[in-house]
């Protein structure tokens, strides 16, 4: 599985961030796509995940209520949209693949994207 993220950059507080993860080498039927983020000096954590084998996507508490993860089946692309972003959302964001099901702790990841930096600042 190969993953390529895009969409990071500078976002103003209160604005909307939309990240994309292009998936190749496998289909979204077989892999669960996770979004991780890692802020400077902090560990990398799962913030969202989507799997076609599960009825609902996963969101960490930090993203619940203001984020949407979705998949474009035709393009094999997964999107993460975050509204009302704040400086604490600044981090490097990574998409990652795990076979079949989501893991809220990010275990058994089989592939990583290169990461895309996000800075929330005015």
């Amino acid at each position: 599985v190969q993953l390529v993220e895009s969409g990071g950059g500078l976002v103003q507080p209160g604005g909307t961030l939309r990240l994309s993860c292009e998936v190749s080498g496998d289909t979204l039927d077989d892999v669960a796509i996770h979004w991780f983020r890692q802020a400077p000096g902090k560990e990398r954590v799962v913030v969202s995940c989507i799997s076609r084998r599960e009825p609902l996507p996963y969101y960490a508490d930090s993203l619940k209520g203001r984020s949407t993860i979705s998949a474009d089946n035709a393009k094999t692309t997964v999107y993460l949209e975050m509204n009302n972003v704040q400086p604490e959302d600044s981090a490097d964001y990574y998409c990652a693949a795990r076979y079949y099901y989501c893991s809220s702790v990010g275990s058994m990841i089989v592939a990583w994207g290169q990461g895309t930096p996000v800075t929330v600042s005015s």
Side-chain angles (χ1 to χ4, degrees), residues 67-97:
S67 302
T68 302
I69 189 170
S70 60
D72 182 326
N73 299 336
K75 295 183 179 180
T76 321
T77 302
V78 173
Y79 305 96
L80 178 65
E81 183 171 289
M82 296 170 56
N83 299 311
N84 190 28
V85 294
Q86 299 298 321
E88 52 266 35
D89 293 314
S90 298
D92 290 328
Y93 283 74
Y94 300 86
C95 65

Side-chain angles (χ1 to χ4, degrees), residues 21-88:
C21 176
E22 186 173 346
V23 182
S24 60
D26 214 323
T27 72
L28 293 180
D29 289 337
D30 293 329
V31 293
I33 299 300
H34 297 65
W35 283 99
F36 288 74
R37 71 184 182 187
Q38 185 170 22
K42 296 189 176 181
E43 65 177 7
R44 191 176 297 186
V45 295
V46 178
V47 293
S48 188
C49 180
I50 189 168
S51 168
R52 287 185 180 171
R53 295 177 183 242
E54 296 178 279
L56 295 173
Y58 167 78
Y59 299 99
D61 288 345
S62 57
L63 265 63
K64 279 181 183 176
R66 64 185 181 102
S67 302
T68 302
I69 189 170
S70 60
D72 182 326
N73 299 336
K75 295 183 179 180
T76 321
T77 302
V78 173
Y79 305 96
L80 178 65
E81 183 171 289
M82 296 170 56
N83 299 311
N84 190 28
V85 294
Q86 299 298 321
E88 52 266 35

Side-chain angles (χ1 to χ4, degrees), residues 101-120:
Y101 300 103
C102 291
S103 166
S104 62
V105 297
S107 65
M108 300 176 67
I109 296 297
V110 297
W112 292 91
Q114 80 283 3
T116 185
V118 171
T119 302
V120 181

